[in-house]
Each structure stands twice: as structure tokens, then as C-alpha cells.
Amino acid sequence: MRRSRSEAAQTRDRIVSTASQMFLDKGLAAVGMRDLMAAADLTQGGFYRHFQSKDQLIAEASSAAFDRLFAMFESETADKSPAQAVERIITLYLGQSQYEGNTYLCPLAMLGAELTHCDQQLREVATTGHQRLVRLIADRLTHLPRPKRMVTASAIVSTMVGAVTLANIAPDPAKAKSILGDAKKLLRSLLTQ
Amino acid sequence: MRRSRSEAAQTRDRIVSTASQMFLDKGLAAVGMRDLMAAADLTQGGFYRHFQSKDQLIAEASSAAFDRLFAMFESETADKSPAQAVERIITLYLGQSQYEGNTYLCPLAMLGAELTHCDQQLREVATTGHQRLVRLIADRLTHLPRPKRMVTASAIVSTMVGAVTLANIAPDPAKAKSILGDAKKLLRSLLTQ
DNA sequence: TGTACATCAGTGAACGCGCGTTCACTGATGTAC
DNA sequence: TGTACATCAGTGAACGCGCGTTCACTGATGTAC
């Protein structure tokens, strides 16, 4: 049942995007190859025509998740002033796991400590994603003197990642919302001072 | 080879404290029962005389980690003013994984997203630990009006957890230090304004 | 206090299971002429 | 363009492995009298 080149490429993309969602939702370890391939309407064995290993897929899926996230940030802030753009990015980031089925999730917040114990390839993806996120924000902190921008952006990212992580752990949506709201209040004070 | 009651109690404590360290260092999934028991100078089978399951141990070990952390915070800040105490807690929290072999690690930062996909018992431990940490700090933000204290403390905790998580992911110690330093700068500005 | 027996902490082999991965196979696609 | 053959995307059973857990066993501790 060989497929045409374009069908095969589509299949590969489908595996990556399915994996991307599942890994971010459930964590890396909790997603098995059978579940994953079934979710992409395939069977286990076919996987290894496209990828060398689960670890390689994890790295690609995480990289794709970052790309999707940044593309969304770009399009959501295209017509905004720097200050408005930062505000919007913060709102979107903090709200990422508040409505179910959201496909714009950040590996840093959703995988967290799993990124500490992983192979080098994924770690590089995570590090690059982190740097991109810091820079995205730093570039828009135009009300601050240049040398302060990276420092402040780095702290903003830490706050956002921590808040989303803790909101995900929170047992009820109300508690989650208050954690995110508290973080947002702090971050807003940085933008208006 | 039955042991006396006190010996058995010591063994149980040894398992919990060994587990506590290993889980925080390597993550919950990466620590196997055989490794864990061997590290406590025991063999696998003996485990189930003391605990019902790995999950139960994880919950107890995490709870013990929080207790140890808070006891350390208390003793480190006993003779300090509220403002100095907050500053000290922030410094200790942010530095937790900077020197190797530190036994005062926070499950929120070290396990992160693993706490999102776990059983209810551990989730309760994590939630309680989070609340304790927020309150510990809120109680010492005496320069702020009462209603603002919980909100600010919550944001401080989010920043600390995010910064430690991201510092752990960072590929080199220099990058880690700068992430932590940037977070600290932001948090200090909250205390002196 | 001394004796006989029950209890149970700890051992280490074994169990069942699910994981990531491999492999023989199928048949449509791609290629050579 | 048509034919013969090689390629390979996808299937699903099977493999090996390590996991959490169980269990028969040992022998020192605890208990009853």
C-alpha cells in the first residue's frame, strides 16, 4: 500500500501536529506510540518510515509547537503598537490553557521540568524557544531603555511560565484564574510604570 | 530477618527521604523502585511492607520535601524583619538548584508539569504546598496594604517557580544565573517601591 | 524471668503488562526502457 | 505511451526490556502464658 510522495508528506505532517497536541496536553511520557499513531489514523509500525525514534518526534513536535505559537503571536499583534502588543502577548500566554482545545500551547509551560531530563535535541529546541519568547517581548518594551529590555523581558517570561504551570496544577478553574490574574496584575504594573 | 519497631520506623523514614531527593532530582517517572530501594540500602520487595504503592510514596515524599523546605525558610528568617525575610526567602528559592547536593528543593519548581498529570493525592500536596508558600510570603509583605499582600505574593511565587524551571532547562550555568538574576531584579523592585 | 509460638521486616525471584522498536508482508507508486 | 520491475508507505504481529507489584521464604522481634 505504498503512498505517493505528497500523501507521505501529508502523513508525516499529520503525525507531527497530532503529536504536538498530545505531548503538550498529556506530557511526553504519557503518550505512547500506539495511541499517538491511532490518533493520526495510522498503526504503530508506519511511524518508523518517517522518524528515527520517539525522541526525534518529540523534538520536532515541540519545535512545531513553538513555531505555531510565535506565528499566532505575530498575527495577533501585527497591527498593534509595541505596548499593546506586549499586553496582548501576555494575555494570550497566560490564557493558553484556560479554554479547552486551544492549539497554541507553549512547551515551556506545558512540559516544564520534563524539559530538564530530556535528550540534547529537545533541550536545544526548548532553549531556542525560550530565547525567542524573551526577544519577542524585549523588542516591544520600547518604553524602557535598551539595556533594561532583555532583563525585564526575561523576568516577564519567568512569571508567565510559572503562573501557567501553577494554574495547571491548581485543582479548580477559579483558583487557576486567580493565579493568572495575580501574575497579570504584576506584569501590567511593569508596562505602565 | 524481622526488625524492631524503631528500626522499621527508621527504614521507612530513610525510604521517604531518599525518595524525596531522587524524585526532585530526576523526576517522578525516571526513578524506578529498584533504584530507589537500592539507594536506601534495601531490595525492592521490602518496599510494600511500608507503602501501598509508588504513588503513595511520591505523595509522602513530596509532602516531606515541602515540610523540609518550609522548616528551612523558618529557621533562616527567624531573626529577620519581614522585609529582610522575604528577600532571604526569594534568594534561597531562586538559588535552590544552583549548588549541587542542595536538599532544600521545591516540588513545584522541580516537578512542574508532572504535577498536572498525577493522581489526586499528590495534587493536593502540591496545591497545599503552593498555598503555604504564597501565605509565607504574603504574611511578610508588611509594607503593602493587607488586601494587596496575597495578590503580590502569588505573583512573586509564579515568578520564582518559572525562573527556577527555566534556569533548570538552561543549557549552561551562566544562562541559568542570568535568568535567576533577572527574576530577582524584578522581585526586588516589588519590595522597595 | 523463661519458653513457645506468632508476627512481620526484609530478601530476591518471578509475574504480568505496556512500552519503544523491529520485521515480514502487501500492494500502490515510482522508474527504466 | 506501455510494460516490467524496484521501491517503499503502511500494516499488525512479535520482540526484548524494564517497570510496578507479588509472593514464598528467612529469621529476628514481639507476645502470651
Side-chain angles (χ1 to χ4, degrees), chain B residues 151-162:
Chain B
V151 171
T152 303
S154 165
I156 290 173
V157 169
S158 290
T159 303
M160 293 196 303
V161 170

PDB file of all heavy atoms in Angstrom, chain B residues 151-162:
ATOM      1  N   VAL B 151      -2.212  38.923  46.609  1.00  0.00           N
ATOM      2  CA  VAL B 151      -2.067  39.093  45.159  1.00  0.00           C
ATOM      3  C   VAL B 151      -0.591  39.203  44.778  1.00  0.00           C
ATOM      4  O   VAL B 151      -0.104  38.525  43.866  1.00  0.00           O
ATOM      5  CB  VAL B 151      -2.836  40.347  44.681  1.00  0.00           C
ATOM      6  CG1 VAL B 151      -2.508  40.656  43.223  1.00  0.00           C
ATOM      7  CG2 VAL B 151      -4.337  40.143  44.852  1.00  0.00           C
ATOM      8  N   THR B 152       0.126  40.047  45.505  1.00  0.00           N
ATOM      9  CA  THR B 152       1.548  40.241  45.214  1.00  0.00           C
ATOM     10  C   THR B 152       2.354  38.980  45.502  1.00  0.00           C
ATOM     11  O   THR B 152       3.213  38.586  44.702  1.00  0.00           O
ATOM     12  CB  THR B 152       2.103  41.419  46.035  1.00  0.00           C
ATOM     13  OG1 THR B 152       1.334  42.584  45.736  1.00  0.00           O
ATOM     14  CG2 THR B 152       3.561  41.679  45.704  1.00  0.00           C
ATOM     15  N   ALA B 153       2.054  38.340  46.628  1.00  0.00           N
ATOM     16  CA  ALA B 153       2.778  37.111  46.986  1.00  0.00           C
ATOM     17  C   ALA B 153       2.560  36.042  45.925  1.00  0.00           C
ATOM     18  O   ALA B 153       3.497  35.326  45.539  1.00  0.00           O
ATOM     19  CB  ALA B 153       2.327  36.612  48.349  1.00  0.00           C
ATOM     20  N   SER B 154       1.337  35.923  45.445  1.00  0.00           N
ATOM     21  CA  SER B 154       1.025  34.940  44.405  1.00  0.00           C
ATOM     22  C   SER B 154       1.863  35.197  43.153  1.00  0.00           C
ATOM     23  O   SER B 154       2.422  34.253  42.558  1.00  0.00           O
ATOM     24  CB  SER B 154      -0.463  35.004  44.079  1.00  0.00           C
ATOM     25  OG  SER B 154      -0.738  34.342  42.868  1.00  0.00           O
ATOM     26  N   ALA B 155       1.985  36.472  42.780  1.00  0.00           N
ATOM     27  CA  ALA B 155       2.782  36.813  41.598  1.00  0.00           C
ATOM     28  C   ALA B 155       4.269  36.538  41.832  1.00  0.00           C
ATOM     29  O   ALA B 155       4.973  36.061  40.941  1.00  0.00           O
ATOM     30  CB  ALA B 155       2.565  38.273  41.219  1.00  0.00           C
ATOM     31  N   ILE B 156       4.731  36.814  43.042  1.00  0.00           N
ATOM     32  CA  ILE B 156       6.131  36.529  43.387  1.00  0.00           C
ATOM     33  C   ILE B 156       6.422  35.037  43.250  1.00  0.00           C
ATOM     34  O   ILE B 156       7.437  34.636  42.669  1.00  0.00           O
ATOM     35  CB  ILE B 156       6.455  37.010  44.826  1.00  0.00           C
ATOM     36  CG1 ILE B 156       6.477  38.539  44.868  1.00  0.00           C
ATOM     37  CG2 ILE B 156       7.784  36.429  45.317  1.00  0.00           C
ATOM     38  CD1 ILE B 156       6.610  39.114  46.279  1.00  0.00           C
ATOM     39  N   VAL B 157       5.507  34.221  43.751  1.00  0.00           N
ATOM     40  CA  VAL B 157       5.696  32.769  43.684  1.00  0.00           C
ATOM     41  C   VAL B 157       5.704  32.299  42.229  1.00  0.00           C
ATOM     42  O   VAL B 157       6.549  31.490  41.833  1.00  0.00           O
ATOM     43  CB  VAL B 157       4.614  32.027  44.499  1.00  0.00           C
ATOM     44  CG1 VAL B 157       4.655  30.526  44.216  1.00  0.00           C
ATOM     45  CG2 VAL B 157       4.810  32.292  45.993  1.00  0.00           C
ATOM     46  N   SER B 158       4.790  32.817  41.426  1.00  0.00           N
ATOM     47  CA  SER B 158       4.790  32.445  39.990  1.00  0.00           C
ATOM     48  C   SER B 158       6.130  32.768  39.345  1.00  0.00           C
ATOM     49  O   SER B 158       6.694  31.961  38.609  1.00  0.00           O
ATOM     50  CB  SER B 158       3.666  33.175  39.243  1.00  0.00           C
ATOM     51  OG  SER B 158       2.403  32.664  39.630  1.00  0.00           O
ATOM     52  N   THR B 159       6.643  33.950  39.639  1.00  0.00           N
ATOM     53  CA  THR B 159       7.926  34.358  39.063  1.00  0.00           C
ATOM     54  C   THR B 159       9.055  33.428  39.513  1.00  0.00           C
ATOM     55  O   THR B 159       9.876  32.990  38.707  1.00  0.00           O
ATOM     56  CB  THR B 159       8.255  35.806  39.460  1.00  0.00           C
ATOM     57  OG1 THR B 159       7.188  36.657  39.044  1.00  0.00           O
ATOM     58  CG2 THR B 159       9.554  36.273  38.798  1.00  0.00           C
ATOM     59  N   MET B 160       9.069  33.110  40.803  1.00  0.00           N
ATOM     60  CA  MET B 160      10.133  32.241  41.328  1.00  0.00           C
ATOM     61  C   MET B 160      10.069  30.854  40.705  1.00  0.00           C
ATOM     62  O   MET B 160      11.091  30.303  40.283  1.00  0.00           O
ATOM     63  CB  MET B 160      10.027  32.141  42.854  1.00  0.00           C
ATOM     64  CG  MET B 160      10.312  33.449  43.579  1.00  0.00           C
ATOM     65  SD  MET B 160      10.638  33.225  45.348  1.00  0.00           S
ATOM     66  CE  MET B 160       9.151  32.392  45.892  1.00  0.00           C
ATOM     67  N   VAL B 161       8.872  30.283  40.655  1.00  0.00           N
ATOM     68  CA  VAL B 161       8.707  28.932  40.103  1.00  0.00           C
ATOM     69  C   VAL B 161       9.106  28.916  38.619  1.00  0.00           C
ATOM     70  O   VAL B 161       9.840  28.029  38.171  1.00  0.00           O
ATOM     71  CB  VAL B 161       7.260  28.426  40.274  1.00  0.00           C
ATOM     72  CG1 VAL B 161       7.026  27.134  39.485  1.00  0.00           C
ATOM     73  CG2 VAL B 161       6.946  28.196  41.745  1.00  0.00           C
ATOM     74  N   GLY B 162       8.660  29.915  37.876  1.00  0.00           N
ATOM     75  CA  GLY B 162       9.013  29.993  36.460  1.00  0.00           C
ATOM     76  C   GLY B 162      10.503  30.157  36.255  1.00  0.00           C
ATOM     77  O   GLY B 162      11.099  29.483  35.413  1.00  0.00           O
TER      78      GLY B 162
END
